[in-house]
Amino acid sequence: MSRRVLVLAHTGREESLRAAWDACDALHSSGLVPVMQKSELADVERFFGHVDKPIEILHEDVRLEDVELVMVLGGDGTILRAAELVREVDLPMLGVNLGHVGFLAESERADLTQTVEWIASREYTVEERMTIDVQVWVRGQKIWHTWALNEAAIEKADRERMVEVVTEVDERPLTSFGCDGVVLATPTGSTAYAFSSGGPVVWPEVEALVIVPISAHALFTKPLVVSPRSKLAVEILNRTDAKGVLWCDGRRSVDLPPGARVEVTRSTRPVRLARTHQTPFSARLVRKFELPIHGWRGPVPRSSEIHTGPVPVVRTPTPTPLPGPFDPPGPSVPGHENSEEATKES
């Protein structure tokens, strides 16, 4: 049975078009069948001319359920777009970074051929990333329902005015304040918008939700990390007529009038990311953000691993007590041989 790999690219950029061309060629050479969306294949052929090797068209020649893996060529935005396409069928995505940071990507453009070889030999693992379920309510009516991999960001709609909000955790109000917005993020999204707003970096294997106010005008507006079982909510207050807007992963948006309520819970359907090597998240942070680590010496050896000679034992002799005036004569105490003569002379 043929193994099919869907190639998704940001075809509005020349670099992505070249990467898609090279990826399809490498997949053919490895005995895999490349699959592309019709519009993206048309962009590639418009740039390079007719592709002489067969490429199957998604939804025409093959169903999404028949694809083994999605190879995403681009930055984090391209991966988020791909997640919208494949999340419902639980397809794993493997990102090849063509952008700047590319935190969700697994490999770089220079490793494209090697990445295809890993796919062909099935040398990859799949990890699940938490997503969030997002609902918007206005006057008791649900007007919007979506999901997000990174974050749901409530922002002010007008540049010149703050939006007044109240935050809520587990159906209990926490605090209200004026701000530019509030980010409700997953651990995956903690290194995206939430990170830019001063939020904490959360390791992907930590199950949690993050609340990060944006430019809040209040005292208690620190970032918060809460249980993944919690229900978060942000309400747009009616104190003013300032409006908001909700963005999910920077791709889908809806307007928030005064009185609107945004509710966020953990979704039951995750996004699956393919990994070709088990790189620790700390190493990924260092590489992606180019963190300075010069002078690092490594872990200190444990005491059980240090081999030393035997510790010498110093024995202190027990001192002999001096005789009292009524004690019978006994052997003389060293250093006191002339004590009797000294007594007679006195």
Side-chain angles (χ1 to χ4, degrees):
M1 182 177 178
S2 299
R3 297 174 59 201
R4 295 175 172 84
V5 176
L6 175 61
V7 178
L8 294 177
H10 184 342
T11 53
R13 299 172 54 191
E14 179 179 340
E15 183 183 6
S16 296
L17 291 171
R18 294 187 181 278
W21 177 279
D22 293 342
C24 290
D25 185 62
L27 289 168
H28 269 296
S29 300
S30 300
L32 304 176
V33 179
V35 179
M36 292 191 72
Q37 296 187 104
K38 187 174 184 178
S39 60
E40 294 188 358
L41 178 58
D43 290 336
V44 171
E45 291 185 329
R46 191 178 301 114
F47 189 83
F48 291 101
H50 178 69
V51 180
D52 57 352
K53 296 180 180 180
I55 297 178
E56 295 187 355
I57 306 299
L58 185 64
H59 302 312
E60 291 186 7
D61 303 323
V62 62
R63 301 179 307 163
L64 196 57
E65 291 82 356
D66 298 325
V67 173
E68 175 184 326
L69 184 77
V70 182
M71 196 171 182
V72 186
L73 310 175
D76 286 343
T78 309
I79 295 178
L80 291 172
R81 177 171 66 88
E84 294 177 342
L85 177 65
V86 306
R87 175 173 175 261
E88 293 302 319
V89 293
D90 292 330
L91 271 180
M93 301 182 299
L94 194 154
V96 178
N97 182 37
L98 304 181
H100 297 291
V101 178
F103 214 93
L104 292 173
E106 176 64 10
S107 62
E108 301 297 323
R109 173 66 172 88
D111 304 324
L112 182 60
T113 302
Q114 178 64 68
T115 301
V116 172
E117 292 177 2
W118 283 327
I119 295 173
S121 59
R122 290 190 171 92
E123 294 182 42
Y124 64 87
T125 58
V126 178
E127 66 181 35
E128 294 186 344
R129 293 295 184 90
M130 178 197 305
T131 62
I132 51 177
D133 186 84
V134 186
Q135 299 182 28
V136 179
W137 297 78
V138 177
R139 292 186 292 275
Q141 297 293 322
K142 183 166 68 174
I143 66 168
W144 207 53
H145 189 182
T146 188
W147 67 279
L149 171 60
N150 273 353
E151 75 279 310
I154 297 97
E155 302 175 2
K156 62 180 184 180
D158 301 320
R159 178 179 177 84
E160 67 275 8
R161 302 184 66 181
M162 291 192 304
V163 63
E164 298 281 339
V165 302
V166 59
T167 57
E168 176 186 301
V169 178
D170 294 328
E171 301 183 346
R172 299 295 299 174
L174 191 60
T175 184
S176 62
F177 48 84
C179 59
D180 285 353
V182 180
V183 179
L184 308 175
T186 66
T188 300
S190 71
T191 52
Y193 197 170
F195 175 80
S196 300
S197 302
V201 174
V202 182
W203 261 236
E205 60 267 25
V206 175
E207 295 187 343
L209 296 172
V210 180
I211 308 172
V212 185
I214 306 173
S215 301
H217 193 267
L219 181 62
F220 186 76
T221 54
K222 298 298 182 182
L224 302 176
V225 180
V226 302
S227 165
R229 297 178 295 277
S230 291
K231 179 179 180 180
L232 311 182
V234 176
E235 293 183 3
I236 308 296
L237 298 180
N238 290 311
R239 295 174 183 171
T240 67
D241 59 355
K243 301 176 182 178
V245 59
L246 171 65
W247 282 94
C248 290
D249 287 342
R251 295 190 50 79
R252 305 174 298 281
S253 66
V254 65
D255 292 332
L256 301 175
R261 175 182 174 87
V262 179
E263 295 182 349
V264 168
T265 56
R266 178 179 184 171
S267 174
T268 58
R269 185 180 293 276
V271 163
R272 307 178 76 205
L273 296 180
R275 296 298 185 200
T276 55
H277 44 275
Q278 298 299 318
T279 303
F281 183 69
S282 55
R284 189 180 297 270
L285 280 176
V286 170
R287 185 176 73 251
K288 296 295 185 178
F289 290 143
E290 299 181 356
L291 302 179
I293 57 173
H294 302 293
W296 182 67
R297 297 180 180 274
V300 177
R302 297 183 180 88
S303 58
S304 59
E305 299 173 353
I306 299 176
H307 303 287
T308 60
V311 178
V313 178
V314 179
R315 299 184 181 279
T316 304
T318 304
T320 304
L322 294 175
F326 301 104
D327 291 338
S332 60
V333 179
H336 296 271
E337 293 84 354
N338 299 324
S339 58
E340 184 178 350
E341 289 78 1
T343 304
K344 290 180 180 180
E345 291 177 0
S346 61

